[in-house]
Amino acid sequence: MSKIIAIANQKGGVGKTTTCVNLAASLASLQKRVLVIDSDPQGNATMASGINKFELKKTICQVLIDGMDIRDCLIEETNGAFHLIPANEDLTAAEVKLLDYLAREFRLKNALNDIKDKYDYIFIDCPPSLNLLTVNAMCAADSILVPLQCEYFALEGLTLLIDTVDQLAHAVNPKLKIEGILRTMFDNRNRLSSDVSDELKRNFDTLVYETIIPRNVRLAEAPSFGKPAMYYDKSSMGSKAYMALAHEMLQKDGK
């Protein structure tokens, strides 16, 4: 049975795409069947998987807007050893066009029905806003993974996101919950990072992953080569951290 996880945070630059691609690659290396859905018009998860977004004719946009069978844009060969539903800038117009549809919040959920059972994990990389694309992801998902940079405004933004998840759970997706909060780009030389991390643990306890993703240059460099970090530099601290996160997730899921 598949587990669908939306990776979301309305704040940009917190490591959503980095987490999506590297966690997916780590789980795939552990023989799990993994699908990544790029739901961000920037197409960063697509490019980080080694797929040129500028050459694509079939993307998640055609699935959401035209009702294309999601299998028709499925890419099985990526540099992360996971399957991919890609995105590019065509998705920018999708939110406006979706306003004309009935049950517009469920377009992604319905599209996934035919393929979701083929995977152990499905990760949806969300845009950095709480827009209709993100709502589609949250309606399709079982849970939300929240990457969070340990900085001053992080807790305020997290509270807003949790409120949104609660509202969606009551309104349209009763099973939706917070999968976990992941501390990213952590610098242990920075007192603020440690203080915010401690505050997260005090307030959210078991929701906070034990694994911490460090600030790491290899994680930043890998997307420019179209690879997850583990295939760019397996020995890097960033690669090891995401592998540890994959093991922690499997342990929590009893797998």
Side-chain angles (χ1 to χ4, degrees):
M1 184 176 179
S2 67
K3 187 171 188 177
I4 305 175
I5 301 174
I7 299 180
N9 189 325
Q10 70 274 26
K11 190 176 186 304
V14 297
K16 290 187 297 296
T17 300
T18 298
T19 295
C20 184
V21 170
N22 286 284
L23 178 56
S26 296
L27 287 166
S29 74
L30 296 172
Q31 308 305 310
K32 298 301 175 184
R33 299 167 300 166
V34 183
L35 172 66
V36 168
I37 300 174
D38 192 347
S39 190
D40 187 343
Q42 297 177 88
N44 289 340
T46 298
M47 296 291 281
S49 304
I51 305 301
N52 189 341
K53 66 181 180 180
F54 300 107
E55 297 178 351
L56 295 171
K57 302 299 182 184
K58 299 177 180 179
T59 70
I60 189 65
C61 182
Q62 284 71 46
V63 174
L64 295 176
I65 302 303
D66 302 329
M68 175 191 289
D69 190 319
I70 198 168
R71 288 168 290 198
D72 290 341
C73 66
L74 180 68
I75 298 173
E76 296 186 355
E77 297 294 330
T78 70
N79 288 344
F82 47 74
H83 291 182
L84 174 72
I85 303 295
N88 58 22
E89 66 277 1
D90 292 347
L91 197 55
T92 303
E95 186 175 14
V96 175
K97 293 181 180 179
L98 282 171
L99 293 173
D100 296 330
Y101 291 87
L102 294 174
R104 51 188 172 266
E105 301 91 347
F106 300 102
R107 300 285 288 184
L108 181 57
K109 176 183 173 67
N110 294 336
L112 281 173
N113 283 336
D114 291 336
I115 65 168
K116 64 182 182 180
D117 290 336
K118 296 180 180 179
Y119 298 96
D120 299 304
Y121 289 95
I122 299 174
F123 295 105
I124 308 173
D125 187 32
C126 296
S129 60
L130 296 176
N131 60 18
L132 195 49
L133 294 173
T134 302
V135 170
N136 253 268
M138 291 184 177
C139 287
D142 301 306
S143 56
I144 312 294
L145 193 159
V146 187
L148 194 74
Q149 191 174 355
C150 291
E151 59 180 24
Y152 183 71
F153 292 112
L155 294 177
E156 181 180 350
L158 179 59
T159 300
L160 175 61
L161 180 60
I162 290 176
D163 287 344
T164 301
V165 171
D166 288 341
Q167 291 172 23
L168 285 171
H170 282 102
V172 292
N173 187 1
K175 67 183 179 181
L176 188 65
K177 63 179 183 178
I178 298 294
E179 176 73 21
I181 300 166
L182 178 66
R183 292 163 287 179
T184 60
M185 290 180 271
F186 190 86
D187 186 349
N188 57 16
R189 300 168 299 176
N190 186 331
R191 176 64 182 271
L192 178 61
S193 292
S194 297
D195 289 346
V196 174
S197 177
D198 292 342
E199 188 73 12
L200 278 171
K201 291 292 287 184
R202 278 194 297 271
N203 285 281
F204 297 100
D205 194 22
T206 56
L207 284 179
V208 181
Y209 286 107
E210 293 298 325
T211 302
I212 297 175
I213 308 301
R215 188 175 292 278
N216 180 251
V217 68
R218 295 304 194 200
L219 287 176
E221 290 174 347
S224 65
F225 291 87
K227 297 178 180 180
M230 68 178 298
Y231 294 110
Y232 175 61
D233 184 352
K234 189 173 184 179
S235 65
S236 70
M237 293 301 295
S239 299
K240 292 177 180 179
Y242 277 109
M243 183 59 75
L245 177 63
H247 282 288
E248 183 176 353
M249 180 172 284
L250 290 174
Q251 186 175 25
K252 287 177 68 174
D253 292 343
K255 296 182 180 181

